[in-house]
Amino acid sequence: MCKLLIGSYGTLGILCEMTFKLLPLPEKEATLGLSFAALEDADDFVRELRAVSSFLHPLKFSMVWLSRR
């Protein structure tokens, strides 16, 4: 059975089928805090990490901007 989806700003959609790809829970979890001089440096790090690592899969990224006066 299809479901009607109504969202903000007048969005209207019909959901007829959804497919989810479920991943198993990781055996271990860790948190890593890093500091980068520029956003581009952080982007390069994440891209390289994902390219060379077969077992590290970042699930969440949080950015904190520090203003220096």
Side-chain angles (χ1 to χ4, degrees):
M1 180 176 178
C2 293
K3 301 280 185 180
L4 184 64
L5 171 72
I6 301 173
S8 61
Y9 300 107
T11 304
L12 177 64
I14 300 172
L15 300 174
C16 293
E17 181 179 331
M18 293 187 297
T19 303
F20 295 94
K21 179 180 178 183
L22 301 178
L23 301 173
L25 292 175
E27 292 179 20
K28 293 184 180 180
E29 237 179 77
T31 301
L32 177 65
L34 300 170
S35 177
F36 297 96
L39 181 61
E40 292 79 16
D41 297 336
D43 182 52
D44 292 341
F45 174 79
V46 171
R47 289 177 190 271
E48 189 169 330
L49 176 68
R50 297 179 91 183
V52 300
S53 175
S54 61
F55 63 93
L56 291 175
H57 299 285
L59 298 177
K60 178 181 177 183
F61 297 101
S62 297
M63 303 291 292
V64 177
W65 294 100
L66 300 176
S67 60
R68 296 183 180 141
R69 293 182 181 176

